[in-house]
Amino acid sequence: MADGNGRVAGPRCIALVGPFASGKTTLLEAILARTGAVTRQGTVAEKNTVGDASPEARAHQMSVEVNIAETDFMGDRLTILDCPGSIEFASEADGVLAAVDLAVVVAEADEKKIPALQVILKALEDKGVPRILFLNKVDKAETGVRRTLETLQPASGIPLVLRHIPIWQTEVVTGFIDLALERAFVYREHAASEVVDMNDDDRAREVEARYAMLERLADYDDELMEQLLEDIPPPRDKIFADLVVEMRAGDICPVLIGSAEHGNGVGRLLKAIRHEAPGISDTRARLGISGNDTVLQVLKTLHTTHGGKISVARLLSGSVGEGVELTGPEGFAGRVSGVFRVMGQQASKRDVAQAGETVGLGKLDGARTGMTLGTGKTAPAQIAELISPEPVLGMAVASSERKDEVKLSAALTKAMEEDPSLRVVHTQDTGETLMEGQGEMHLRVALERLTGKYGISIRTREPSVPYKETIRGSTSVRGRHKKQSGGHGQFGDVVLAIGPLPRGAGFQFTNSITGGVVPKNYIPSVEEGVTEYLSRGPLGFPVVDISVRLTDGSYHTVDSSDMAFRTAAQIGMREGMVECKPVLLEPVRKVEIAVPADATARVNGIVSQRRGQLLGFDARPGWTGWDVVEAMIPESEIRDLIVELRSATAGVGTFRSRFDHLAELSGRLADQIVEKARAKAA
């Protein structure tokens, strides 16, 4: 819906994204203060902001989840979703970006953060989300704005188009010039800027910068290009129209400047959002949604202490109220038990939600973050597939008290619903429950939530490496079990030929008995005894790649039994395996490490220091200035790889890995591993 001036009216949903510590939460607070949603602008340091209000966020003074806030600006309803900047919590934005109208990218003049900015801008480009860049902390910048933009431009796949230039007074930024409006403004602390006259120097700077902006816009508008070539001043309305059209089409990213801490530039940003951000009808068209049916996108899942599960959703079309039944890709998603306004950590009931609004919906048990839901009998087409990143770090978790095991399992399930990038797996090899995530802080925060919200005492430790063992030699051994005590005794006698198999062949049991020296009905018990022994070989680990053949034996008509032959087989294996030159096997994983190209050499060194074998590297497909390094690395060396990797890549390096093969390990390291396993078993 548009007003009389052609401006799109109605509710908007805006995402704040940007590198860690760029000032997103401060900007959210400044917006809420400027629009009257809060009476005083809080600060992250004072721990009194609407965003980052969770105990974990305040303890670490960083965003660890999406912060949700609502406000009104000049009659328009705005829902603002402040997304974490740390790469460890970056997947929080994936669900949000699926259905927002616009992303405001908060950045600063810091070259060290350019790789992180590129990661964020690439995600927006891939999803086709229109965006504006808010160059924050302009009052603290040590370089000029245009020089800063030249530095930031390689991070963006589309042109960064400067719309504001600063006004300097004795090396202090006191205001800005809006190149589209051709007006100068002086900042007022936490208040609207005031229009002032430009001096001759500022006017000259404005003319030059404005022409550069128009040249960039003309790359996508032939009519404007002709006007510039013929020195015809283009109408102001034409310039604004081009800025809007080209931003919404993803051709350009306009750049505004300011200081969120002091509330500078916030008013101009809000007006840009109001006049230039796409409306819900534009967003529907971008997402390919048609018709009048109710369709909504789940952006975030919350489990509140008293209100139960709340699904934060953007209503893309139709309306939704209490009692409405919704269907998702997995079938019936649930009946809405309440519609809520979400503001920071608080949720309050409200009335029916209309298209464009972002609300919390109560107790939709079948809804998950990233799902597209509707009121029809069949689910609407899914807007975006939410693909959780591969985990890069894990810890083994268990409840401190046995009585809390079920409680912990339920809490972990809820934690994964709230944070799809968190993964919980039960490992058969080691018998551990692993909680896996995106880094040290990610796992630490997840653990704090589990203990704080659910009151569970949890024990943690490093995950065990699933070592195996095998043999290099062969032998033939007799296993004999004979025991006599009043009544029936026990008697089992077997001869086993033990030998190695090729790597990856597993376990093979065969029988070459002739003449019935071991009755057929006892042979399965022999195999069972062998298998039980192989769960822990002479080095203390499961045995693989081995063949065992039953070649001979004897039995007693009265004293033989399944138990006796199972025990005889175990005795034979225990005595024979030590003669077969047992050797330790360690799991080796194939690893693909994605890093900025200027860090590739450092990463190669990290791989080598971790006993890794470099396979090569190549350009990362679709990423300018990035490489993918391929290597084989022992699993024991991957445990804290992400910590060193992030340190070497300005916090943006990541990797994915998969099991590749088992490799023999000998020498001092193998001896230490075996000794540790034996001490643990003692």
Side-chain angles (χ1 to χ4, degrees):
M1 181 173 64
D3 63 14
N5 298 318
R7 182 187 66 83
V8 177
R12 307 293 175 86
C13 186
I14 310 298
L16 298 183
V17 297
F20 172 68
S22 57
K24 298 178 296 300
T25 301
T26 302
L27 179 59
L28 171 61
E29 195 73 12
I31 289 172
L32 296 177
R34 182 62 57 85
T35 56
V38 296
T39 55
R40 175 180 176 272
Q41 181 172 332
T43 69
V44 173
E46 293 175 357
K47 302 180 181 181
N48 59 355
T49 53
V50 172
D52 287 355
S54 70
E56 299 80 28
R58 292 206 164 152
H60 301 292
Q61 293 199 7
M62 64 182 291
S63 297
V64 298
E65 61 193 335
V66 171
N67 296 308
I68 305 163
E70 266 194 18
T71 190
D72 287 290
F73 179 66
M74 299 181 71
D76 284 345
R77 168 66 48 172
L78 293 179
T79 299
I80 303 171
L81 304 167
D82 171 24
C83 303
S86 167
I87 194 170
E88 296 192 25
F89 301 94
S91 63
E92 283 276 314
D94 291 342
V96 165
L97 295 178
V100 296
D101 299 315
L102 178 78
V104 174
V105 182
V106 185
E108 59 182 305
D110 187 346
E111 289 190 29
K112 296 190 294 293
K113 294 184 179 180
I114 290 176
L117 179 63
Q118 183 181 6
V119 171
I120 291 162
L121 292 174
K122 183 69 166 60
L124 296 174
E125 291 163 15
D126 290 346
K127 292 177 172 63
V129 180
R131 50 211 173 272
I132 290 174
L133 190 144
F134 183 77
L135 188 59
N136 194 24
K137 306 180 185 180
V138 69
D139 54 317
K140 299 176 181 178
E142 297 179 356
T143 56
V145 170
R146 278 185 283 182
R147 174 73 180 276
T148 297
L149 241 63
E150 291 174 2
T151 303
L152 299 182
Q153 182 59 64
S156 176
I158 59 175
L160 302 176
V161 178
L162 190 62
R163 283 189 54 174
H164 294 166
I165 59 172
I167 297 174
W168 295 87
Q169 187 173 345
T170 61
E171 298 186 352
V172 175
V173 177
T174 58
F176 68 98
I177 300 170
D178 188 310
L179 301 178
L181 282 174
E182 296 183 280
R183 289 180 186 169
F185 297 82
V186 172
Y187 291 136
R188 294 290 180 256
E189 190 86 357
H190 302 298
S193 302
E194 293 182 8
V195 178
V196 295
D197 293 331
M198 280 183 260
N199 60 35
D200 292 342
D201 288 342
D202 286 339
R203 173 64 71 182
R205 291 172 55 239
E206 183 269 337
V207 169
E208 180 187 356
R210 188 170 191 268
Y211 190 80
M213 178 188 75
L214 296 179
E215 279 189 313
R216 184 61 75 182
L217 295 179
D219 289 340
Y220 307 93
D221 185 337
D222 293 340
E223 181 184 353
L224 178 59
M225 178 65 77
E226 291 178 9
Q227 291 173 333
L228 294 181
L229 291 173
E230 296 174 9
D231 290 329
I232 300 173
R236 186 177 293 171
D237 288 348
K238 169 70 173 171
I239 295 170
F240 272 107
D242 273 7
L243 282 166
V244 171
V245 169
E246 293 172 19
M247 181 270 286
R248 292 183 185 178
D251 295 326
I252 64 168
C253 176
V255 178
L256 283 62
I257 66 173
S259 168
E261 182 181 359
H262 302 290
N264 297 336
V266 173
R268 301 311 304 174
L269 173 62
L270 283 166
K271 287 183 179 178
I273 291 171
R274 182 173 186 265
H275 290 278
E276 300 170 28
I280 188 59
S281 58
D282 301 298
T283 300
R284 274 199 300 264
R286 175 169 62 84
L287 297 173
I289 296 173
S290 59
N292 299 316
D293 293 337
T294 295
V295 176
L296 54 90
Q297 182 72 10
V298 180
L299 310 180
K300 175 70 179 170
T301 301
L302 307 171
H303 283 279
T304 62
T305 306
H306 303 294
K309 180 179 176 179
I310 292 180
S311 300
V312 179
R314 177 86 193 281
L315 194 58
L316 299 170
S317 63
S319 62
V320 66
E322 190 164 355
V324 170
E325 293 186 352
L326 295 171
T327 304
E330 298 173 2
F332 180 63
R335 184 191 300 271
V336 176
S337 68
V339 182
F340 299 90
R341 176 177 182 261
V342 181
M343 189 75 168
Q345 295 290 297
Q346 306 299 319
S348 55
K349 271 210 165 186
R350 51 154 291 171
D351 56 5
V352 174
Q354 305 295 334
E357 294 188 292
T358 304
V359 294
L361 303 176
K363 297 182 180 178
L364 295 177
D365 292 336
R368 301 285 184 274
T369 301
M371 281 186 177
T372 309
L373 309 179
T375 51
K377 292 183 179 179
T378 58
Q382 297 301 293
I383 290 171
E385 184 181 2
L386 189 63
I387 302 175
S388 297
E390 290 291 319
V392 295
L393 191 68
M395 65 169 65
V397 295
S399 57
S400 298
E401 300 182 38
R402 183 178 292 274
K403 66 181 178 64
D404 286 336
E405 288 180 357
V406 174
K407 191 176 179 181
L408 175 59
S409 178
L412 288 170
T413 299
K414 290 179 179 179
M416 286 190 293
E417 268 199 279
E418 288 189 315
D419 181 0
S421 68
L422 198 65
R423 183 182 298 180
V424 176
V425 295
H426 303 280
T427 57
Q428 200 168 14
D429 284 338
T430 62
E432 296 172 329
T433 296
L434 302 184
M435 185 168 69
E436 300 176 328
Q438 301 307 305
E440 280 186 307
M441 184 59 71
H442 186 212
L443 292 180
R444 185 185 305 172
V445 167
L447 193 63
E448 289 170 358
R449 283 179 181 153
L450 288 169
T451 56
K453 184 183 286 189
Y454 302 104
I456 306 171
S457 177
I458 299 175
R459 292 182 290 109
T460 66
R461 65 170 183 267
E462 282 193 353
S464 301
V465 177
Y467 292 105
K468 302 287 191 294
E469 60 180 276
T470 191
I471 54 174
R472 292 173 174 163
S474 303
T475 192
S476 179
V477 64
R478 178 177 293 277
R480 186 179 180 90
H481 176 60
K482 183 177 181 181
K483 189 173 183 181
Q484 192 69 44
S485 58
H488 288 304
Q490 297 179 36
F491 182 84
D493 178 33
V494 295
V495 177
L496 304 174
I498 306 171
L501 287 176
R503 192 71 63 245
F507 165 59
Q508 185 181 88
F509 178 83
T510 56
N511 164 36
S512 60
I513 289 292
T514 58
V517 292
V518 175
K520 288 183 179 180
N521 57 302
Y522 292 137
I523 292 175
S525 297
V526 176
E527 182 176 0
E528 187 178 337
V530 170
T531 304
E532 287 176 359
Y533 172 81
L534 294 179
S535 64
R536 187 170 184 271
L539 302 182
F541 299 96
V543 183
V544 296
D545 303 336
I546 185 173
S547 70
V548 177
R549 182 161 52 92
L550 177 61
T551 61
D552 201 357
S554 62
Y555 73 102
H556 189 280
T557 55
V558 176
D559 292 343
S560 288
S561 65
D562 289 325
M563 175 68 76
F565 273 97
R566 189 163 66 245
T567 304
Q570 292 175 346
I571 292 171
M573 291 298 296
R574 188 161 52 246
E575 294 176 358
M577 283 289 290
V578 294
E579 301 175 10
C580 293
K581 301 176 183 176
V583 61
L584 188 65
L585 297 175
E586 67 172 345
V588 177
R589 301 183 72 87
K590 184 173 184 180
V591 183
E592 294 179 356
I593 306 172
V595 295
D598 60 4
T600 299
R602 292 194 296 276
V603 170
N604 289 344
I606 291 170
V607 170
S608 298
Q609 290 167 8
R610 291 173 177 265
R611 298 190 293 122
Q613 176 191 356
L614 284 165
L615 303 178
F617 69 93
D618 205 346
R620 187 180 187 185
W623 288 71
T624 303
W626 280 63
D627 286 335
V628 175
V629 177
E630 293 190 352
M632 293 289 186
I633 305 179
E635 185 169 326
S636 62
E637 301 285 351
I638 294 179
R639 289 180 180 180
D640 60 348
L641 171 64
I642 192 62
V643 178
E644 192 173 4
L645 189 59
R646 295 259 164 85
S647 176
T649 61
V652 298
T654 189
F655 71 88
R656 59 183 183 181
S657 71
R658 59 176 175 80
F659 172 79
D660 191 82
H661 65 280
L662 291 169
E664 290 189 11
L665 181 63
S666 57
R668 183 179 177 185
L669 181 57
D671 293 341
Q672 291 173 346
I673 293 167
V674 171
E675 287 172 12
K676 187 175 179 180
R678 285 173 175 166
K680 185 178 178 181

